Amino acid sequence: DLQVSGVMWNCSIIPIKVSRSFDGFGTTTDIAVGIGWASVLGADVINMSLSNPTNSEVLVDAMHNA
């Protein structure tokens, strides 16, 4: 198997924190606000590594609006 990675030289990263620094937890609203903020700032791709044990209409709406 040949594995290839690429670099997008003209891209930029928009760091948006959606969790608290002292324990790493954040609310569903915090996550939705982060998604909205990324969209407002013009993000084409939003990549988040999170865990949410329940389905959330707030997150679904934020993702659809992004």
Side-chain angles (χ1 to χ4, degrees):
D1 269 335
L2 176 64
Q3 296 182 359
V4 179
S5 65
V7 176
M8 180 70 173
W9 296 109
N10 294 321
C11 75
S12 59
I13 295 175
I14 307 167
I16 299 173
K17 188 172 188 170
V18 297
S19 61
R20 300 181 300 230
S21 60
F22 64 91
D23 63 5
F25 289 98
T27 66
T28 300
T29 301
D30 294 334
I31 297 165
V33 168
I35 292 169
W37 186 237
S39 180
V40 166
L41 293 176
D44 293 319
V45 175
I46 299 173
N47 181 6
M48 304 176 86
S49 297
L50 306 166
S51 174
N52 189 4
T54 62
N55 291 329
S56 167
E57 284 296 318
V58 172
L59 288 180
V60 171
D61 290 344
M63 288 184 273
H64 284 296
N65 292 329

